[in-house]
Amino acid sequence: MFLRQREPLSFERSVPGKRGMDLPKLDVPTAKDTRPAHLKRSGFDALPELSEVEVIRHFTRLSKWNYGVDDGIYPLGSCTMKHNPRLNEKVAGMPGFTDSHPMAPDALIQGNLETLFTLQEWLKEITGLPGVTLQPSAGAAGELTGVMLIRAYHVAQGAKRRVILIPDSGHGTNPATAAMAGYEVVELPSLPDGTISFDDVTDPVNGKVRKGLKTLVNELGAEIAGAMITNPNTVGVFEYRFKEISDLLHSVGALVYMDGANMNALVGVARPGDFGVDVMHLNLHKTMSTPHGGGGPGAGPVCCVEKLVPFLPVPVVVRDTVKVGEGEVPKHSYRWDWNRPQSIGKVHTFYGNFGILVRALTYCLSHGSDGLKEATLRAIVNANYIRARLKGAYALHIDSPSLHEVVFSDTLQAKHDVHTLDIAKRLIDHGYHPPTIYFPLIVPGALMIEPTESEGKDELDAFCDTMLAIAKEVETDPEALHQAPTLAPLRRMDETTAARKPVLRWTKA
């Protein structure tokens, strides 16, 4: 179906006097305008005046320009978008969940509290960590909560530590999180296989020596509060020496934070608590299929070891059990525990984004433990299927085994003056959302592809066929890629100007 190449703004369609509906005349006195003068808008002509059909058609046409997980594969790596089962939505929309008031007495919301408690228990089992808070509203909020727990722990020990170690293969939010928590960030270099280097590394470009983990631990010692390690890291590689890293950091009293944004590659297969992680967060949109995008609402629960439990945000849902007679089922009741004097306080209004947490538990229960493991393995197989089909046509800067995502480089295409951005734009012409591009930074011209467990072989083959066709086109007609997209409603934007000089407000010509 043909899509219009340009859709005017509603302001541009406005005709004075047009209405979508007629309102009855006011039958009460006009309210006095009490707005402070400095808060009133000035220099703004009017809201657009359109008919109902014009408004509906305007937004319907715009919606057809969009692309989402219900249209096809959404290969973004790192910020995975995967199928959101409709069962999750149905359960989260049940009146018992949607009509509950967050300030209702514990006795009136026993079912809701049991729901949260049960999700906590699932997350404990999945991560191998005994403490959980469900409050953080997203992955980055979970990171900050986790590092605040680390700080609170050290302060309680009377220790003044100033450094957080972060590998160059970590998520971009990690350094910002550490800085917000008041720490100095020291970078850990990676080896050619993508994992953290224990030894010093000499940069092949400038000859500078970058200190490895052992040197930094020896030099900084008790100054190290902890390390933030993304695992699997941003090139989709598992840190196979994680236990050694944990033991080395623990030897100087530092704690280990695992960025669990890629936990969808480990669920049911490996538990972070078993290889030395002290605290971590999970991105429920990646791991438990809750909706994601547009800034939320999201959820980034934090799990931790026993010694960090006293510092968890308040309140924490707990279960009280009354033992009954021999052979009878014990009676449980649930309540919010606010009596936690060492808590870092609240990190979200009320108790977090409750509806997202309901969706996550629904995902767990509908899959069961075996199903969660199967989803993990399927995600890994899918990523490696794409890797196998595209290897050779696209360069692999790091050749280590992939888990949930595979990161190619534009090295081969760059010989024809075609780069990652050109490939991404050409995918739009073929009806695909581009993968993550130019991240991670340790891979030049990165194309990060993460199919997740949602995709079947037909969808993967269609995507790979397109990528291979584009690789062939690079050799025969590179200019076609420089012009892409040519079939989308909008052509290629000046992204540099858009980023540096954004025009965010319409003004009348």
Side-chain angles (χ1 to χ4, degrees):
M1 183 181 67
F2 174 75
L3 296 177
R4 295 188 180 194
Q5 294 297 304
R6 183 177 183 277
E7 178 66 22
L9 300 175
S10 58
F11 292 94
E12 295 172 317
R13 289 183 176 277
S14 178
V15 176
K18 267 196 176 181
R19 295 288 184 272
M21 63 180 298
D22 293 322
L23 296 175
K25 289 184 179 180
L26 199 63
D27 59 357
V28 294
T30 303
K32 185 179 179 182
D33 187 351
T34 58
R35 294 173 296 170
H38 69 282
L39 295 180
K40 292 183 180 178
R41 190 194 301 269
S42 61
F44 184 72
D45 290 330
L47 291 172
E49 297 177 80
L50 302 167
S51 69
E52 179 180 306
V53 68
E54 288 173 323
V55 172
I56 291 175
R57 286 178 176 173
H58 172 71
F59 287 106
T60 300
R61 286 195 287 263
L62 287 180
S63 72
K64 291 178 178 177
W65 290 10
N66 206 353
Y67 185 95
V69 291
D70 293 338
D71 291 297
I73 184 173
Y74 210 108
L76 278 178
S78 196
C79 298
T80 311
M81 305 282 276
K82 62 184 181 182
H83 177 61
N84 309 139
R86 298 309 185 260
L87 175 63
N88 297 359
E89 304 303 312
K90 186 174 182 61
V91 173
M94 295 172 70
F97 294 131
T98 58
D99 295 346
S100 297
H101 195 283
M103 298 183 72
D106 293 355
L108 300 182
I109 53 170
Q110 284 294 292
N112 293 357
L113 293 178
E114 183 177 1
T115 297
L116 296 178
F117 182 86
T118 304
L119 178 59
Q120 288 182 174
E121 296 304 297
W122 274 81
L123 299 185
K124 290 177 184 177
E125 182 59 33
I126 288 170
T127 62
L129 295 166
V132 177
T133 175
L134 302 174
Q135 276 192 36
S137 57
E143 285 181 33
L144 182 58
T145 302
V147 178
M148 289 169 66
L149 294 179
I150 291 176
R151 171 174 283 282
Y153 170 78
H154 289 309
V155 170
Q157 304 301 309
K160 294 181 179 179
R161 296 175 179 249
R162 62 179 180 84
V163 171
I164 292 281
L165 304 179
I166 300 177
D168 56 13
S169 60
H171 275 136
T173 47
N174 292 174
T177 296
M180 285 185 69
Y183 286 110
E184 176 185 336
V185 175
V186 175
E187 188 177 86
L188 286 168
S190 293
L191 290 167
D193 69 359
T195 61
I196 293 172
S197 177
F198 280 60
D199 299 316
D200 296 348
V201 173
T202 302
D203 191 313
V205 177
N206 55 31
K208 291 184 177 178
V209 176
R210 302 171 65 198
K211 295 177 180 177
L213 178 62
K214 288 192 294 188
T215 299
L216 290 172
V217 169
N218 287 334
E219 289 185 358
L220 297 172
E223 295 292 308
I224 304 173
M228 298 181 74
I229 302 173
T230 305
N231 189 37
N233 61 26
T234 53
V235 288
V237 174
F238 185 79
E239 291 285 353
Y240 66 94
R241 299 181 70 182
F242 205 112
K243 184 65 167 63
E244 294 177 66
I245 296 171
S246 299
D247 290 344
L248 186 57
L249 290 165
H250 289 160
S251 70
V252 294
L255 300 179
V256 179
Y257 182 92
M258 192 184 103
D259 185 320
N262 295 335
M263 188 65 190
N264 58 324
L266 302 182
V267 173
V269 178
R271 304 194 314 167
D274 295 338
F275 47 79
V277 170
D278 296 298
V279 55
M280 64 173 292
H281 81 272
L282 299 113
N283 288 17
L284 294 190
H285 65 273
K286 289 192 67 169
T287 308
M288 308 297 179
S289 83
T290 61
H292 177 52
V302 170
C303 306
C304 65
V305 292
E306 196 68 49
K307 63 185 177 185
L308 295 180
V309 169
F311 308 103
L312 286 172
V314 286
V316 174
V317 64
V318 296
R319 183 174 71 182
D320 297 322
T321 300
V322 176
K323 293 184 178 179
V324 291
E326 185 76 21
E328 297 182 35
V329 179
K331 295 180 179 178
H332 301 302
S333 61
Y334 303 86
R335 60 181 172 83
W336 290 115
D337 180 10
W338 291 85
N339 185 23
R340 309 178 77 85
Q342 290 184 286
S343 168
I344 62 172
K346 290 182 68 65
V347 298
H348 194 281
T349 53
F350 299 111
Y351 321 113
N353 286 321
F354 179 65
I356 298 298
L357 302 174
V358 173
R359 288 172 173 85
L361 180 60
T362 305
Y363 181 81
C364 291
L365 294 174
S366 60
H367 277 67
S369 57
D370 292 346
L372 291 179
K373 180 178 181 180
E374 186 177 342
T376 299
L377 298 178
R378 184 182 294 271
I380 295 172
V381 168
N382 282 356
N384 279 278
Y385 184 75
I386 289 178
R387 173 184 169 130
R389 285 214 56 193
L390 300 186
K391 187 177 182 180
Y394 294 89
L396 277 172
H397 185 72
I398 295 174
D399 200 25
S400 298
S402 298
L403 285 185
H404 62 299
E405 61 193 3
V406 56
V407 183
F408 292 102
S409 162
D410 67 356
T411 307
L412 299 177
Q413 289 69 37
K415 298 175 183 175
H416 302 275
D417 194 28
V418 172
H419 302 280
T420 292
L421 183 64
D422 303 315
I423 298 166
K425 297 299 184 186
R426 194 56 167 159
L427 272 170
I428 296 174
D429 278 338
H430 287 274
Y432 288 101
H433 193 287
T436 298
I437 59 174
Y438 297 113
F439 184 82
L441 301 178
I442 58 174
V443 176
L447 277 158
M448 178 194 282
I449 302 171
E450 181 174 1
T452 80
E453 76 275 13
S454 302
E455 308 305 331
K457 184 172 179 297
D458 289 348
E459 189 77 16
L460 297 178
D461 278 332
F463 175 76
C464 290
D465 289 344
T466 300
M467 287 290 289
L468 293 172
I470 291 173
K472 181 65 71 177
E473 192 176 31
V474 170
E475 300 173 358
T476 58
D477 187 11
E479 187 56 26
L481 279 89
H482 294 151
Q483 299 299 321
T486 57
L487 302 177
L490 296 177
R491 302 292 294 273
R492 189 178 299 204
M493 302 291 174
D494 182 348
E495 298 189 11
T496 302
T497 300
R500 295 181 177 178
K501 299 178 181 179
V503 179
L504 304 177
R505 182 177 176 182
W506 174 80
T507 54
K508 191 173 185 179

